[in-house]
Amino acid sequence: MKLKELTITLLSLMLLFGCSDMMVNLRPHDLLEPGTEVTLSTSDGSTASTITAVVVDIDADGGVDGLDLDDNPDTVELPIRLTAVPRLYAVDLDGDGLEDFYFAVTEGVSLINTKIDQTGTPVVTMVDGSGDVTGLDLDDDNSTDLLIPDTSDSVLSSGEMILIPLGGSESGEVLRGYVVDVNGDGTADGVSLSGDYLPEILISSSTPGSYGLDPDGDGTADFYFVVDPATGGVTVNTAGDGSGTEVILLPGADPDSPGGWDTNGDGSADVEMPDGNDQVLTSGEYVYVPGRDPSGGLEPLKGLVSGGTISFPGTSAAEIPLGEGSGGYYPADVNGDDIPDFYVFVPGEGKDIIITSSPSGTSTDIWVLTGGGGFDSDGDGSADDVTVAGDSDDTGGDDTGGDDTGGDDTGGDTDTGTGVSFSSTTGGYEVRGNSLETNFVIPPPITESLLSE
């Protein structure tokens, strides 16, 4: 989609949900307020009915965290987040980073739909014989398609919102996090604190009631989330059964970026938290990496920085070896000849990285093949002999440096300078060398600033 077309689409949605009377009249407030009651359509598989849900702010930050469906205002069964479109909320119930459906509220009626413009299939909450909500019907067949995480057990389910004590369990302060499943295997991989679906807190082991936390990404638990089965709340402890020393998550300058973990109670951080807004790749940090699927389509990958490499858990994508970084550029020697084959560039604005052929403004771009096989230097979805221009091993063929005399090269003819890279500024992939400013736009992560507008 061209940038102009994207802008028109967003403006149309804003008009649809903010100014138009053609479909529904929304609440006069721009945002839902904590304590507001909304009505949801329900079904037990045969009989349609409705239930009342309450909008809650469980971390008391003045924003909206989600909907309480079980009359417990301290839990959220349906987390909602404001989208870029005013008064429209998105739900990622399974914690895979993708918006599953969309929630909007009219005067007395709530709409949940599979499409952002509310023209898709209405979403119905499914209930059991006791009237308790168990899941969601996404295709109007009166059966459950997506389970709602049980917040009152000892299992941390992907997509579940949890509250982490901030400054110690006696402080009364909490930090909101979302359990995420990075590789789609159905198991919790970590907790996202900033709303970008990338975990700042890594989970290395999972047993009901006890979850090993791996802040340095080495695969070994350093301390544990201990889950209270009665409330679903968590505490942090050096022992999996809660018998050790409390580990304190320290406040930071940014509400969504805590200052680190205090493991011995001295008030200082013994274990640092990853900083996604610098140009340093830290072990234990997740990043977004530009990828290509077999058809050549753009598909960002979630990569884990650990042990001097970027790996892609749950996929067959090739690992990226990392040399010593400088100025945000990390050399990658794929073939082991001690000569960089390309560079990983960290812009320092969020967690989106770029892979380039050289640490300069004239470089071309490279993508990781999502299905495995190596790296793609020309955007066709197939593996290329990725070598830097001037590499002594560059004997010809399809290479990163480009071939002015013809053949398949990176970004086409080097005279045109066309290439593609992910832009953390625009939230999409930028196409250089033609009239398109941005296409393949990825929805931006939801931030607290949006929630407070």
Side-chain angles (χ1 to χ4, degrees):
M1 179 182 291
K2 295 183 179 180
L3 182 60
K4 182 178 181 181
E5 295 171 342
L6 173 67
T7 302
I8 292 173
T9 300
L10 287 175
L11 287 174
S12 299
L13 287 169
M14 289 180 182
L15 289 172
L16 173 63
F17 287 100
C19 303
S20 175
D21 292 327
M22 294 179 63
M23 291 188 63
V24 293
N25 294 315
L26 293 180
R27 288 170 49 84
H29 305 290
D30 282 348
L31 300 173
L32 289 173
E33 297 176 353
T36 302
E37 293 186 351
V38 296
T39 302
L40 303 179
S41 300
T42 66
S43 172
D44 61 4
S46 59
T47 304
S49 185
T50 60
I51 62 169
T52 299
V54 179
V55 178
V56 293
D57 171 20
I58 59 175
D59 57 0
D61 65 351
V64 171
D65 296 324
L67 303 181
D68 168 35
L69 304 179
D70 62 359
D71 296 325
N72 181 358
D74 294 326
T75 63
V76 166
E77 285 70 43
L78 197 63
I80 60 175
R81 299 185 181 186
L82 189 66
T83 67
V85 181
R87 295 184 288 275
L88 185 69
Y89 293 81
V91 180
D92 172 28
L93 196 58
D94 56 4
D96 63 358
L98 302 176
E99 297 173 349
D100 297 317
F101 46 86
Y102 301 89
F103 175 79
V105 178
T106 72
E107 291 290 350
V109 179
S110 59
L111 304 174
I112 307 180
N113 203 282
T114 55
K115 289 190 177 181
I116 195 169
D117 60 0
Q118 299 289 302
T119 62
T121 304
V123 176
V124 176
T125 52
M126 301 298 294
V127 296
D128 58 19
S130 301
D132 295 328
V133 176
T134 58
L136 299 168
D137 175 15
L138 306 181
D139 55 12
D140 198 26
D141 65 353
N142 277 325
S143 63
T144 299
D145 301 305
L146 197 59
L147 294 175
I148 289 180
D150 185 352
T151 58
S152 297
D153 59 17
S154 58
V155 177
L156 295 183
S157 303
S158 180
E160 181 176 344
M161 180 191 298
I162 62 173
L163 297 180
I164 306 167
L166 188 62
S169 57
E170 302 299 324
S171 70
E173 299 292 325
V174 293
L175 187 66
R176 178 183 57 197
Y178 295 87
V179 181
V180 294
D181 174 14
V182 173
N183 55 19
D185 64 355
T187 302
D189 295 311
V191 177
S192 173
L193 304 176
S194 57
D196 60 4
Y197 306 107
L198 292 180
E200 288 83 7
I201 301 174
L202 303 184
I203 294 176
S204 61
S205 61
S206 301
T207 57
S210 179
Y211 290 78
L213 305 185
D214 178 21
D216 56 7
D218 65 357
T220 302
D222 298 297
F223 34 86
Y224 299 83
F225 273 151
V226 181
V227 186
D228 182 348
T231 65
V234 302
T235 55
V236 189
N237 201 281
T238 56
D241 61 0
S243 62
T245 304
E246 180 183 13
V247 178
I248 299 173
L249 184 60
L250 298 173
D254 186 332
D256 290 329
S257 301
W261 301 96
D262 175 12
T263 59
N264 56 18
D266 64 357
S268 62
D270 306 303
V271 180
E272 301 292 336
M273 296 289 293
D275 184 358
N277 292 313
D278 59 22
Q279 291 189 287
V280 178
L281 293 178
T282 305
S283 187
E285 181 176 25
Y286 269 94
V287 292
Y288 279 118
V289 179
R292 291 272 184 182
D293 63 26
S295 66
L298 295 168
E299 183 180 340
L301 287 163
K302 296 176 182 178
L304 173 62
V305 181
S306 179
T309 64
I310 300 178
S311 61
F312 305 95
T315 77
S316 57
E319 293 186 349
I320 302 176
L322 298 173
E324 184 175 351
S326 175
Y329 285 92
Y330 288 77
D333 175 20
V334 175
N335 56 19
D337 62 357
D338 295 325
I339 300 175
D341 295 304
F342 51 80
Y343 292 81
V344 171
F345 177 59
V346 187
E349 300 173 355
K351 298 180 181 178
D352 308 310
I353 69 170
I354 300 168
I355 308 176
T356 69
S357 60
S358 66
S360 70
T362 60
S363 64
T364 51
D365 297 298
I366 297 167
W367 301 268
V368 179
L369 292 175
T370 61
F375 305 90
D376 178 12
S377 62
D378 56 16
D380 65 355
S382 60
D384 301 317
D385 177 18
V386 178
T387 52
V388 174
D391 188 330
S392 60
D393 291 340
D394 185 2
T395 58
D398 191 0
D399 61 73
T400 303
D403 187 351
D404 287 338
T405 62
D408 196 1
D409 60 73
T410 304
D413 192 327
T414 55
D415 291 337
T416 66
T418 302
V420 182
S421 66
F422 186 83
S423 168
S424 59
T425 302
T426 62
Y429 285 89
E430 291 186 343
V431 181
R432 299 194 301 271
N434 58 27
S435 61
L436 289 179
E437 294 181 5
T438 305
N439 65 356
F440 300 105
V441 172
I442 295 176
I446 301 305
T447 63
E448 291 295 333
S449 61
L450 283 175
L451 288 173
S452 61
E453 287 179 354

